């Protein structure tokens, strides 16, 4: 089916970088608006305040609405449970932010995730660090009613003692009063609530291995709308996503919640606990577990959970830092963007589970090529990766990326739709900076993205390099 640029068909909204099929365009024109349910009390992700949508997802949906070109209208609810009921009754077309479960698949389909957060346990301050959640699953643990992980945790831990609350605030109040042992939610929301209301009374004491992967829920009787939102998620650039995350987490937390201070306070309390337990024979084991979990939590915030590479949030920090360092030392800096060729077709043909396996294997190759100090590999989007290299000459640079491209092709991951190769390949855009006049990190990214685009336009499975 041919595609059509909507910019040519509308006067009230600009669609300069959104391309839809004719069927999608006519669907949107006919639909006129999209109704949306949210969790009305789930900050910093989202809430309803004076009838308005606030929080991180409200910023995301401003971008999505701009790409789609018709209004996305909030359907007010009082609780998440009520939002779920509204979705079942088709009073809303979408959930703004939700996790896929077997139960929800009965009435909703789900896009690819656009936000992720680890699952943690919040406790009162006197509780010692929880090395393994299995140790406390028979204790009364609070969770918000209707949350996806309620269903998933019951499957994983049949004996888990979950106590459901209508809102997170009700649950954390019960925890503060000692009515439950702990409360299960994601790291971002839990940290935000502790900072806002429970600082000095509650703390994050442990984590699950699970990650809260959140996308858009779309009513399952409307596959066209699901298709449109999956496309829109890819149209929004990772920098736009990253700006929203930084605005709501990094900047706002810095004003009222100093994470460095939080972890230092946690370390001080841990030292006090260790001093009390000094006479116990398990002291050394406890210290080792504490250090391991603290390092794991730090690493978790900068690591992509699927590939093990650094994530796009860490990329935004590193690229500016490494650019400034190379410029200061007047050393060459090489930056590359890699994109898996026809990866959507791969997922459509082989399924998302094999797609994830392909991403893991490619991530493994990139990790093995980034072992030197000062070299970095990132997953910056669904099928997009980035590499930063220091001080390599032109010959070494060309050889490096040739070997990298060949190594990925030589994985021999079958991809029938990627002709003429028949296996998974990547296109690579490379920019090497030797002179820094009038060049910024943003300009570097744009140059490299253009090179990547050229590699795709010229037949894919190749490298386009430019020296500045």
């Amino acid at each position: 089916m041919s595609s059509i640029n909507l910019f040519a068909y509308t006067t009230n909204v600009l669609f300069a970088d959104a391309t839809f099929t004719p069927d999608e365009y006519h669907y949107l024109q006919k639909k006129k608006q999209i109704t949306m349910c949210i969790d009305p009390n789930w900050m910093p992700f989202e809430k309803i305040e004076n009838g308005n949508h606030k929080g991180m997802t409200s910023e995301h949906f401003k971008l999505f609405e701009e790409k789609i070109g018709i209004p996305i209208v909030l359907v007010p609810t009082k609780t998440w449970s009520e939002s779920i009921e509204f979705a079942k009754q088709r009073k809303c077309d979408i959930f703004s932010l939700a996790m896929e479960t077997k139960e929800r698949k009965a009435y909703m389909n789900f896009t690819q995730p656009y936000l992720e957060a680890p699952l943690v346990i919040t406790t009162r301050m006197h509780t010692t660090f929880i090395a393994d959640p299995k140790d406390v699953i028979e204790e009364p643990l609070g969770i918000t009613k209707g949350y996806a992980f309620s269903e998933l945790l019951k499957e994983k831990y049949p004996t888990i003692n979950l106590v459901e609350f209508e809102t997170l605030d009700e649950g954390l109040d019960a925890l503060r009063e000692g009515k439950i042992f702990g409360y299960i939610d994601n790291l971002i929301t839990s940290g935000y609530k502790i900072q806002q209301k429970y600082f000095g009374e509650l703390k994050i004491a442990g984590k699950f291995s699970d990650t809260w992967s959140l996308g858009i829920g779309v009513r399952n009787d409307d596959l066209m709308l699901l298709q449109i939102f999956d496309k829109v998620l890819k149209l929004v650039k990772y920098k736009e996503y990253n700006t929203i995350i930084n605005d709501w987490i990094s900047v706002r937390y810095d004003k009222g919640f100093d994470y460095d201070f939080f972890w230092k306070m946690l370390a001080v309390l841990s030292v006090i606990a260790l001093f009390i337990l000094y006479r116990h024979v398990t002291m050394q084991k406890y210290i080792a577990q504490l250090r391991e979990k603290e390092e794991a939590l730090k690493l978790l915030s900068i690591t992509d959970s699927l590939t093990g590479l650094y994530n796009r949030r860490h990329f935004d920090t590193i690229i500016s830092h490494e650019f400034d360092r190379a410029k200061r030392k007047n050393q060459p800096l090489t930056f590359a963007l890699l994109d898996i060729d026809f990866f959507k077709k791969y997922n459509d043909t082989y399924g998302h589970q094999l797609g994830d396996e392909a991403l893991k294997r490619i991530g493994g190759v990139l990790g093995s090529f980034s072992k030197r100090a000062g070299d970095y590999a990132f997953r910056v989007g669904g099928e997009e990766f980035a590499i930063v290299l220091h001080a390599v000459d032109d010959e070494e640079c060309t050889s490096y990326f040739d070997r990298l491209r060949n190594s990925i092709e030589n994985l021999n991951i079958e991809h029938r739709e990627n002709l003429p190769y028949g296996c998974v390949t990547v296109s690579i855009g490379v920019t090497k900076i030797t002179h820094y006049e009038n060049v910024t990190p943003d300009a570097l990214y744009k140059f490299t993205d253009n090179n990547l685009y050229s590699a795709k336009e010229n037949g894919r499975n190749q490298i386009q390099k430019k020296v500045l």
Side-chain angles (χ1 to χ4, degrees):
M1 180 179 294
S2 62
S3 61
I4 187 166
N5 193 304
L6 292 193
F7 182 70
Y9 286 83
T10 184
T11 57
N12 59 331
V13 179
L14 295 180
F15 284 85
D17 50 354
T19 301
F20 294 100
T21 65
D23 286 345
E24 291 165 345
Y25 165 72
H26 290 301
Y27 168 91
L28 291 171
Q29 293 296 303
K30 182 178 180 181
K31 189 166 182 62
K32 299 190 184 319
Q33 69 175 29
I34 299 167
T35 54
M36 173 178 67
C37 286
I38 74 167
D39 187 330
N41 184 28
W42 198 26
M43 289 295 283
F45 290 129
E46 58 189 15
K47 71 174 179 179
I48 296 177
E49 182 178 88
N50 298 324
N52 296 314
H53 185 192
K54 301 290 186 180
M56 293 169 63
T57 58
S58 72
E59 301 299 323
H60 284 95
F61 271 83
K62 289 175 184 176
L63 296 176
F64 301 159
E65 188 175 55
E66 178 182 341
K67 303 292 182 185
I68 289 174
I70 63 173
I72 299 175
V73 180
L74 175 68
V75 178
T77 56
K78 295 179 180 179
T79 65
W80 176 238
S81 296
E82 186 179 15
S83 293
I84 290 176
E85 288 305 313
F86 275 30
K88 291 179 179 178
Q89 297 166 20
R90 307 305 193 192
K91 292 182 180 179
C92 45
D93 296 317
I94 62 171
F95 285 146
S96 58
L97 192 66
M99 185 171 177
E100 179 178 325
T101 68
K102 292 179 182 178
E103 182 180 324
R104 291 177 183 172
K105 286 289 286 181
Y107 57 94
M108 281 289 198
N109 288 321
F110 293 84
T111 68
Q112 60 185 304
Y114 68 95
L115 282 173
E116 293 186 343
L119 192 66
V120 297
I121 303 174
T122 300
T123 67
R124 287 179 291 172
M125 294 300 294
H126 63 78
T127 304
T128 57
F129 193 88
I130 301 169
D132 189 338
K134 291 180 181 178
D135 296 337
V136 298
I137 58 172
E138 295 186 3
E139 299 283 354
L141 299 172
I143 194 166
T144 304
K145 186 177 181 181
Y147 275 12
F149 265 108
S150 179
E151 180 183 341
L152 299 175
L153 289 172
K154 287 175 183 177
E155 291 181 6
K156 188 171 184 178
Y157 305 105
T159 61
I160 194 166
N161 183 9
L162 290 180
V163 182
E164 292 188 330
F165 293 86
E166 283 293 340
T167 67
L168 176 60
D169 284 324
E170 288 181 16
L172 293 181
D173 285 343
L175 174 60
R176 178 171 57 185
E177 295 164 9
K179 295 178 180 178
I180 54 176
F181 174 81
Y183 203 89
I184 300 172
D185 210 305
N186 69 81
L187 176 62
I188 294 174
T189 303
S190 299
Y192 182 89
K193 281 294 182 182
I194 290 171
Q195 169 251 325
Q196 291 287 321
K197 189 175 178 181
Y198 303 96
F199 191 74
E201 297 179 286
L202 303 180
K203 66 177 183 179
I204 296 171
K207 73 175 186 69
F208 291 84
S209 59
D210 308 271
T211 299
W212 211 302
S213 297
L214 302 158
I216 300 169
V218 182
R219 54 189 297 171
N220 64 1
D221 60 352
D222 195 338
L223 296 180
M224 180 71 75
L225 189 57
L226 175 69
Q227 180 177 308
I228 288 170
F229 271 107
D230 260 325
K231 183 174 289 187
V232 167
L233 287 177
K234 293 179 180 179
L235 289 173
V236 177
K237 302 297 183 183
Y238 89 92
K239 280 193 173 183
E240 295 175 291
Y241 286 122
N242 200 45
T243 297
I244 294 170
I245 292 172
N246 286 337
D247 284 346
W248 280 97
I249 298 176
S250 301
V251 175
R252 295 195 181 197
Y253 279 18
D254 286 344
K255 291 179 180 177
F257 183 79
D258 187 337
Y259 264 117
D260 289 336
F261 177 73
F262 176 83
W263 291 116
K264 288 175 183 177
M265 287 296 295
L266 180 61
V268 169
L269 292 170
S270 299
V271 170
I272 293 172
L274 290 173
F275 179 77
I276 295 171
L277 296 173
Y278 182 78
R279 290 170 296 178
H280 293 265
V281 294
T282 59
M283 183 185 67
Q284 292 301 320
K285 179 181 177 181
Y286 182 84
I287 294 174
Q289 290 175 339
L290 180 63
R291 288 175 178 169
E292 180 183 343
K293 295 300 178 180
E294 285 179 342
E295 289 301 316
L297 284 172
K298 291 177 183 177
L299 184 61
L300 194 63
S301 67
I302 62 172
T303 302
D304 174 61
S305 60
L306 182 64
T307 63
L309 302 177
Y310 291 119
N311 61 21
R312 65 189 183 197
R313 181 180 181 186
H314 194 48
F315 167 79
D316 196 53
T317 301
I318 288 297
I319 189 63
S320 296
H321 179 271
E322 295 303 314
F323 181 92
D324 291 342
R325 183 160 73 98
K327 181 178 181 179
R328 188 170 60 252
K329 294 183 177 181
N330 197 28
Q331 293 177 341
L333 180 71
T334 301
F335 174 57
L337 287 171
L338 299 79
D339 198 83
I340 302 175
D341 296 326
F342 298 115
F343 192 63
K344 182 182 184 302
K345 291 184 178 180
Y346 185 92
N347 278 330
D348 292 343
T349 303
Y350 299 95
H352 287 277
Q353 185 173 353
L354 286 181
D356 286 350
E357 288 301 318
L359 289 170
K360 288 178 185 178
R361 294 181 67 183
I362 292 171
V365 172
L366 266 63
S368 69
F369 270 72
S370 307
K371 296 294 186 183
R372 298 189 316 169
D375 292 349
Y376 298 89
F378 309 84
R379 182 186 178 201
V380 294
E383 66 268 24
E384 191 174 51
F385 300 86
I387 287 180
V388 175
L389 302 176
H390 278 277
V392 291
D393 58 33
D394 285 345
E395 184 176 348
E396 183 182 359
C397 179
T398 300
S399 172
Y400 175 96
F401 287 105
D402 277 336
R403 287 185 292 108
L404 175 59
R405 184 191 59 78
N406 284 328
S407 295
I408 293 172
E409 184 175 3
N410 289 338
L411 290 173
N412 287 320
I413 302 172
E414 180 183 306
H415 188 355
R416 296 190 298 271
E417 299 297 322
N418 185 22
L419 299 176
Y421 308 104
C423 64
V424 169
T425 60
V426 295
S427 300
I428 306 176
V430 182
T431 304
K432 180 180 177 183
I433 307 180
T434 56
H435 302 285
Y436 290 85
E437 292 81 7
N438 300 320
V439 180
T440 64
D442 285 341
L444 172 61
Y445 188 93
K446 185 176 180 180
F447 284 133
T448 310
D449 197 39
N450 289 338
N451 292 340
L452 174 60
Y453 180 79
S454 297
K456 291 180 180 181
E457 287 294 299
N458 292 334
R460 291 182 161 80
N461 191 24
Q462 60 178 268
I463 302 160
Q464 289 291 323
K465 188 177 80 171
K466 179 179 290 186
V467 178
L468 300 178

